[in-house]
Amino acid sequence: MGRCIALVVAGGRGSRFGGDLPKQYHLLRGQPVIRHALKAFGEHPGVAAVRPVIHPDDTSLFAAAAQGLDVLEPVFGGSSRQESVLNGLESLLSQTPKTVLIHDAARPDVDSEIISQVIKALKTHPGAIPALPIADTLKHGRNGLSVGTVDRDGLWRAQTPQGFCFKDILQAHRQAAGAELTDDAAVAERAGLSVALVPGSEENQKVSTSKDLLRAERRQAKETRIGSGFDVHRIERPGDGVTLCGVKIPCDFNLKGHSDADVALHALTDALMGAVGAGDIGMHFPASDERWLDADSCLFLEKAAQFVRQRQGQIINLDLTIICEHPKIDPHRALMASRLADILGLELGRISIKGTTTEKLGFTGRGEGIAVQAVAAVSLPYPPADT
Ligand code: MG
């Protein structure tokens, strides 16, 4: 159906947002708002190219925000949104698009389904826009009083991208210069073009205020990952004590191991690595490596926490079960939990440490070794963050 080019309009100053930084360059989920929009169109198979329209003061901001993305050179906008769109459209003449999608850079959460729907509707209409029906009752207000109810039947909230046949919308915009219309569909309607409505989405909201940005931040879908870890270390007698969760507990034996033999931290490290698919403790800290001889196992846990952070994950909770007859775990639980809270920067309420015995059965019951089971739940962005 011919070449389709997306025009991402970012010429505004965002006066409702406050501060000096225009809203389209604020960070949302670790990336500038505009980058989310540029990526949505750049990655869509129906879009051949993306033309950004920016403010002349924002060239370096834009360069940083679009770094590494395959987009056309930006062009400068004008003193109004309408002028900016016209500048963008004029710049596309040499690109000979058949259709154009005009999108507000401040709508970062446009999804590929909406883009596809608009493109599809352009096969049968010269214009198409995503829109949502109005659910709330509409009121006429005067002097702080509600003085009438508006029939909402047939009323829609318009979003972007607004798609058009390129020649039609270019001509319509040229003719509408100076007419002060609030969106491109209004420009098309003024020129008598028929504009189809396709379903928009609640996520495809415009970020106008810092509260909108917060809401968009919270809309990030998350998935919960679970990891489990299990470890055993052999008991050696005589000895002077064992280290569990970084806490030295005096008793009449030691645990045998290459590192400090903190069996609890080893199980927990494996659980965290397992939750984010980062391998296991033996892979990152092989016992064959002399560097880890007598190592403080807190190092291993810190590494696991680093893997979680790299994936922009957050630990939801940890649950450890230490299985042995001796030493008794209960008197040391609070200190162990606060050690883990310190290492991981986690609230105590998210950490659980339990001790149990195997009723004198098996190797733990006979006092030959200590076993630990660990479970970790981690919240990760979905789809996964760029790493
Ligand atoms: Mg171990």
Side-chain angles (χ1 to χ4, degrees), residues 63-84:
Q67 197 180 15
L69 297 183
D70 183 18
V71 296
L72 301 172
E73 277 297 303
V75 295
F76 292 146
S79 58
S80 67
R81 183 185 180 282
Q82 205 176 321
E83 226 181 290
S84 295

Side-chain angles (χ1 to χ4, degrees), residues 76-95:
F76 292 146
S79 58
S80 67
R81 183 185 180 282
Q82 205 176 321
E83 226 181 290
S84 295
V85 171
L86 180 56
N87 288 0
L89 290 171
E90 298 283 3
S91 82
L92 292 182
L93 268 171
S94 58
Q95 303 274 340

Side-chain angles (χ1 to χ4, degrees), residues 3-9 37-44 46-53 70-75 85 88-89 91-92 95 97-104 110 115 119 122 161-164 166:
R3 210 165 131 78
C4 174
I5 296 189
L7 203 61
V8 173
V9 185
L38 294 170
K39 280 175 73 174
F41 290 93
E43 290 168 2
H44 194 283
V47 176
V50 180
R51 169 76 84 193
V53 183
D70 183 18
V71 296
L72 301 172
E73 277 297 303
V75 295
V85 171
L89 290 171
S91 82
L92 292 182
Q95 303 274 340
K98 175 94 165 48
T99 57
V100 62
L101 304 179
I102 305 169
H103 185 69
D104 294 329
V110 58
I115 299 173
I119 292 175
L122 289 179
Q162 302 196 338
F164 305 95
F166 176 70

